[in-house]
Amino acid sequence: MASFMQPDDSNDRVASIPRDLPILPLRNTVAYPFSVLPLVVGVPRSVKLIEDALQGNRLIGLVSMKDGSVEEPLPGQVFEIGTVAMIHRVVRAPDNTLQVVVQGLERLKVEYWLGAEPYLRAYIALAPDIVQQDVELEALERSLRELAQEVIALSPNMPEDAGKFLDQVQDSRYLAYLIAANSRLEMAEGQKILEMDNVKDKFRALMVHLTREKEVLTLGQKIQSEAREEMDKAQREYYLRQQLRAIQKELGEADESQSAVSDYRQKIEDAGLPEEAKKEAQRELKRLDGMPPQAAEHSVIKTYLDWLIELPWNKLSEDQLEIVHARQVLDEDHYDLQEVKDRILEFLAVRKLVQERGVRAEPGEEEKVSEAMGAILCFVGPPGVGKTSLGQSIARALGRKFTRMSLGGMRDEAEIRGHRRTYIGALPGRIIQAIKRAGTRNPVFMLDEVDKIGNDWRGDPSSALLEVLDPAQNHAFRDHYLDVDFDLSDVIFITTANTLETIPPPLRDRMEIIQLDGYTEREKIKIAQGFLVPRQIRANGLREGEVTFGEEALRKTVQDYTREAGVRNLERQIGAICRKSAVKIAAGEVQAIAVTPEIVREYLKRERFESEASEAIEIPGIATGLAVTAVGGDILFIEATGMRGKGGLTLTGQLGDVMRESAQIAHSYVRSKAAALGVDADKFEQTDVHIHVPAGAVPKDGPSAGITMVTAMASLFSGRPVRSDVGMTGEVTLRGRVLPIGGVKMKVLAAHRAGLTTIILPKRNERDLEDLPDDVRQAMTFVPVDRIDEALAVALLPVER
């Protein structure tokens, strides 16, 4: 608390104050009457003032500076209301500054300035405060004293007897200046109180300030109290916990283990586990209960219990079985694919009727009737025809969660069934992991690339899939890690493959095969207009109408820059055109671009493909066959040439065993029918035949090229060229029969893309033509044959005469 002198002691000194006084400016400080104030004086002008005052009556005037940054203020830079002070003591410090103690005597008012050199001097008048002794002053004084005592009680740095000292102060002016000097007043606020003439006004201003200070101190004390309580609570809990740990240690119990066990027990009750899983969880929980946390098995059991609890044992998505809605979703997402859409709608219709009407079991039949029976679909087709996206559309139509898993290159059976818990770092298989991620027990689960599963010493994943994909078994699927049955019967499994040949027969038998054979040129253009172009426009930051594709531009892109059964590469080319258009639009060169065939040629540069069937076959020994590859159908040129020799046969073009045998059959058949073909039989003994199947870097196999090889050799030896617009497929026998083959639809679509107009195929494959699109059937001529001579009559050009 600041020092003050009693007012009675200063009366005589006030009476002797002269009107001409040296003025000492104060930086960031306000001097009040009756106060004892220590000052540090270091400015040379101020030092001179103190030294001269010591030689005289020791009286100086103290006024506050308006701007504390001014080193030597002039008259206009200080306030004109201040305090007359008596210098009490002066001590010179080692750095030549003066340590000065002064006592305030009375308020002063500067009448006018006498000069600024060697220091400020002024003609002053004393300005005693106005004190009106009445009831209002008494009330204000009492309120101020009580408020000040409350603030003192709340202030941690105030001495305990400061409040008692206030009770002893009787003079109103002394009380006002005592409180002002010891309050946290800003310099401007303190100066304002000093300049007030009436003590009542000083009391009111101080009450406003102290009220605010009281609120701040009260809030601060509350904050400290709360923090102290939290700290005390934490310390109390710590001590109690330490005591509890000591007690449990004496009893041989572990608190962490007990709390974990109780948590797991509650979670097991809330999880709604099946009976078997619940028993297994409780058995493991009992083991956990009797095991110290430091044991290696402790974390293994906790991980196992976490998996059991977090699996969606009873959480099912509610199916949306509205047939109209499902048809609308499927049509929005995919063009055509009518057979697939019809099969999905059949599945939904059956589920709807089963839910509404129920299924009556046969007498004595107790086996579970699964609503998902027969719903394991396998989409087989070349890349880019929409197999994976169909699964997403099915999930959207049903309102189910969608999850997928790629089987390509998988060689470890544990990826499907999981690892046994005896192994370090064991986890459930990817089937159970995907179910957990989906969060429901009935997602649409897509198994991609089922034809690319491998096997080695770690097991055969395709065999592990037999249980997963069997509707009669998967209601009790047992993962090696969980070692309890999990019901997969409500999951809709959908598999995808590029070819059926590499899928093991037992696995293929468990799936309903739906063939997606690729698209015609017209279908690709429709898909591009309805799906690919809008998607690429959005993906490349363009707005609708900025880039438009004409039908001829799309046709050129399909014909000259893509050769595929699907539309994946077509979408890439459309994306390339959109990106090049985006560059021009972003640069401000154009506002919109209408893509024409000329722009396609400009953006995509030279054409990548040219129809191989466009060139007429003018020399004998070349025939056009049809083949099926992993990426769809394709046309196949078989070339035969003869040279002088001894009747040998040479085969090139990376042919498999079956295809080599077909070539040998063709050679023997043509040789045996030499007379019918008008060929001299001795010519065979004098001619070596070389058969080549481009492209030589691609392995080829299969019996369906037999009819093409017979035609090529018959053309070679008869000298009659093969019609360039004819494609053919079929297996042949030594008797000249043409046997049926597979993949008719993909082969015909490839022939249509290549520009062929006539197709020779086995008579027993005639029924497969029903699967072809109408525009393909109308654009092409089909010649079903049962014998080789029927095919040769159509394929070979007549002898020129």
Side-chain angles (χ1 to χ4, degrees), residues 524-544:
K524 287 183 180 181
I525 292 172
K526 291 289 186 185
I527 292 170
Q529 290 172 334
F531 301 92
L532 307 184
V533 170
R535 187 160 62 200
Q536 284 302 314
I537 286 175
R538 288 194 303 270
N540 290 286
L542 298 168
R543 294 195 183 99
E544 187 176 352

Side-chain angles (χ1 to χ4, degrees), residues 599-611:
I599 291 179
V600 172
R601 176 67 175 81
E602 177 189 347
Y603 285 175
L604 301 183
K605 308 304 179 188
R606 63 180 180 83
E607 292 82 355
R608 297 186 181 182
F609 298 101
E610 183 179 354
S611 177

Side-chain angles (χ1 to χ4, degrees), residues 350 353-362 365 369-371:
V350 171
L353 294 178
V354 166
Q355 281 194 6
E356 292 176 353
R357 303 177 182 179
V359 177
R360 290 180 297 175
E362 294 294 330
E365 183 181 340
V369 178
S370 172
E371 296 175 1

Side-chain angles (χ1 to χ4, degrees), residues 52-60 85-90:
D52 290 350
L54 287 174
Q55 301 298 323
N57 57 9
R58 292 178 171 247
L59 293 174
I60 60 174
M86 169 71 70
I87 298 176
H88 243 286
R89 188 174 58 175
V90 177

